[in-house]
Amino acid sequence: DLTVLDLTGTVADSEVAPVYARSVANRHWHSHHPGRLIVVAFAAFILFGTLLLWMPFSQESTAPPVGLLNSFFTASSAVTVTGLVLVDTGSTWSVFGEIVILVLIQIGGLGIMTLAGVASVVLSRKLGLNQGRLVSTEIGLSGVSELKPLVRTLFRYTFGTELLVALLLFVRFLFDTERTVLGALYLAVFHAVSAFNNAGFSIIEGGLQRYVSDWYVSLVIAGAFIAGGLGFPVAMDLWGRWRRPRTWSLHTKLTIAMSVALLLGGTIALLAIEWTNPDTLGTLGFADKTLAAFFQSATARTAGFNTISIGSLRSGSLMVLILLMVIGASSASTGGGIKTSTVLVVISSTIAEFRGDSEVTIFHRRIPAALQRQALALVIAALGTVGTATFGLSVLLPDVLIQDLLFEAASAFGTVGISTGATAKLNDAGKVLIIILMFVGRVGPITFGSALLLRRNRQLYRYPEEELLVG
């Protein structure tokens, strides 16, 4: 551990010298902080995808030229697994362009550094220390020792789930009379990858609204993005212990509890608000209303699909979806947002403070003070990012309702991809702002901020303490 100099007293030169030497030795590590490499890696793949999508052979000859900025927007949306689009995916891009989007989704969902870890395990059967640190940062783990079993489980879990979902969808799409066997298979694979990685891209004309009453398609796709949104550590924990909840880790317990609470809470809220709305749930039967409300509650936590018209939702429903989008999925998952465990830690910390408790406990486990500080920093950074982006959009698009702009900002930050229609109204500056927001939302505000602001040297001193009035 590094010695911290207390500026409230005096320090001898003999004490300063070794501390300074260790500080210099740590400069190299900070200059290669994993957060910076992750930011650069994501940016590089976005630029590479932009160039591919910009090529004429990536676009349908009958569609209007997409342009460089729109190609950049689409590549950013795919790599960040957001799903916001400026043009219709199915009718604008050629098969090659759609495959490029699909590959970008897979890379963005798993994470570039995680993919590198998978390749390392498969090819060399081991992870190096530096590479392990990168993968650990990308998927939100605390130590390198957990990586090897996790990456193996990640490989099986990801591609096994996508294969299963593709087969299930293929059986259903094959019954659509207008599709061939090859067309149904391609459609199933595309939506399986898009759903599991919480991307929300669809090549079906009009999206999934035609399946609003189709229980089979709705539940298969919802199951795919819920599985992707639970996170890889949870999947590994449940792999052989799903019947023994008492043996689950604290992270798994928190994730399951919060996921169930948000799914049920969102479903009930949407049913209550939209029950009589003829443009959304009003014309459906009881069972179909429940299905549509459940699907939209689940998809708001970063999936991006929709079976009802988002632009027709009432204001209360939009606020419910904004809350779900900002919270997002679980840590180390294919989804975005501030994550379920983060929210629960902040809520528990607030309750403990109101009660006057000296420690924060969840499920009879103490939460470290450093973790509480990190959770609070993430929530503040997220709210500040969404608020600042909404303000910027309101300046750039003064004719669009503020609730639509707030919804758009929350959707981009949470890498969700649903929109009330504001995406189509974006000017060039607005598109760039949404691209930045999607990027920050995917890599995470703390990762992005630390990549830009992390000190080259550890702070080796501290100032005198003084009380301050708050509240």
Side-chain angles (χ1 to χ4, degrees):
D1 293 335
L2 294 177
T3 303
V4 179
L5 305 186
D6 193 339
L7 297 186
T8 59
T10 60
V11 182
D13 292 340
S14 58
E15 297 179 52
V16 175
V19 172
Y20 177 76
R22 286 194 294 270
S23 170
V24 172
N26 279 314
R27 289 184 181 180
H28 179 73
W29 187 92
H30 282 292
S31 64
H32 293 84
H33 185 262
R36 293 173 183 168
L37 295 180
I38 288 171
V39 169
V40 171
F42 270 99
F45 267 88
I46 289 174
L47 293 178
F48 181 67
T50 300
L51 293 177
L52 288 179
L53 292 177
W54 191 36
M55 296 294 102
F57 50 78
S58 295
Q59 306 167 25
E60 291 285 1
S61 57
T62 57
V66 176
L68 182 59
L69 181 56
N70 289 352
S71 298
F72 184 36
F73 189 98
T74 303
S76 301
S77 184
V79 172
T80 60
V81 291
T82 302
L84 288 174
V85 293
L86 299 169
V87 295
D88 181 70
T89 305
S91 60
T92 302
W93 306 104
S94 65
V95 174
F96 177 82
E98 291 172 358
I99 293 175
V100 169
I101 291 174
L102 201 63
V103 172
L104 294 178
I105 289 172
Q106 188 72 83
I107 291 172
L110 282 175
I112 296 165
M113 299 306 168
T114 311
L115 279 178
V118 170
S120 177
V121 168
V122 172
L123 297 177
S124 66
R125 298 292 180 180
K126 64 180 181 178
L127 281 171
L129 181 61
N130 290 334
Q131 185 183 39
R133 202 175 78 240
L134 296 178
V135 183
S136 179
T137 302
E138 160 58 23
I139 58 182
L141 291 177
S142 58
V144 178
S145 61
E146 305 172 66
L147 283 174
K148 197 168 185 178
L150 180 65
V151 169
R152 286 174 177 168
T153 302
L154 182 154
F155 185 89
R156 300 189 189 102
Y157 180 63
T158 297
F159 296 106
T161 304
E162 290 177 352
L163 177 60
L164 176 61
V165 173
L167 290 175
L168 292 174
L169 291 178
F170 171 69
V171 173
R172 172 62 182 85
F173 292 151
L174 194 58
F175 287 99
D176 291 344
T177 56
E178 72 273 14
R179 295 193 177 94
T180 64
V181 173
L182 187 60
L185 180 60
Y186 174 66
L187 196 66
V189 171
F190 189 97
H191 284 83
V193 175
S194 182
F196 178 80
N197 290 286
N198 283 242
F201 278 85
S202 176
I203 54 177
I204 299 175
E205 185 178 357
L208 298 181
Q209 292 191 43
R210 62 187 295 185
Y211 297 105
V212 62
S213 299
D214 192 316
W215 283 73
Y216 186 88
V217 172
S218 295
L219 291 181
V220 168
I221 291 183
F225 56 66
I226 289 174
L230 283 177
F232 306 126
V234 175
M236 186 175 66
D237 199 16
L238 297 178
W239 189 260
R241 297 187 292 176
W242 64 275
R243 291 184 177 180
R244 294 174 291 169
R246 291 184 178 181
T247 65
W248 295 350
S249 67
L250 178 61
H251 173 73
T252 299
K253 292 177 181 177
L254 296 185
T255 298
I256 298 298
M258 281 293 292
S259 296
V260 171
L262 291 173
L263 282 173
L264 292 179
T267 301
I268 294 171
L270 290 176
L271 279 173
I273 299 171
E274 298 295 325
W275 188 270
T276 58
N277 186 348
D279 297 323
T280 54
L281 304 182
T283 59
L284 302 175
F286 175 79
D288 291 341
K289 284 180 179 178
T290 304
L291 174 65
F294 168 79
F295 187 91
Q296 210 53 62
S297 173
T299 195
R301 294 179 51 236
T302 84
F305 294 102
N306 62 286
T307 56
I308 57 178
S309 173
I310 301 299
S312 301
L313 291 172
R314 290 169 174 165
S315 298
S317 297
L318 294 179
M319 291 306 299
V320 170
L321 295 185
I322 288 173
L323 177 62
L324 292 175
M325 289 190 296
V326 172
I327 293 175
S330 304
S331 299
S333 71
T334 58
I338 59 178
K339 304 300 190 297
T340 52
S341 55
T342 303
V343 173
L344 192 54
V345 168
V346 171
I347 292 174
S348 300
S349 300
T350 303
I351 294 175
E353 185 64 28
F354 287 163
R355 288 178 173 176
D357 296 338
S358 59
E359 296 177 338
V360 177
T361 58
I362 304 177
F363 288 119
H364 307 293
R365 293 293 186 272
R366 286 183 289 109
I367 306 301
L371 188 61
Q372 297 174 44
R373 188 176 70 172
Q374 183 181 11
L376 181 60
L378 182 53
V379 170
I380 293 175
L383 296 179
T385 301
V386 173
T388 302
T390 303
F391 171 75
L393 290 173
S394 67
V395 173
L396 297 172
L397 305 168
D399 297 329
V400 182
L401 294 176
I402 189 67
Q403 70 177 22
D404 292 338
L405 297 178
L406 176 60
F407 192 94
E408 192 80 4
S411 180
F413 173 81
T415 68
V416 181
I418 51 178
S419 175
T420 58
T423 308
K425 302 174 184 177
L426 293 173
N427 52 27
D428 289 349
K431 294 174 185 177
V432 172
L433 181 55
I434 292 296
I435 289 171
I436 296 173
L437 199 55
M438 291 189 294
F439 187 82
V440 173
R442 179 61 187 97
V443 301
I446 289 183
T447 300
F448 186 77
S450 65
L452 297 178
L453 303 176
L454 186 73
R455 297 174 183 269
R456 289 184 58 86
N457 297 319
R458 298 181 190 272
Q459 185 171 333
L460 305 178
Y461 55 87
R462 61 188 177 196
Y463 293 101
E465 183 180 273
E466 186 172 346
E467 295 294 333
L468 180 67
L469 295 177
V470 294

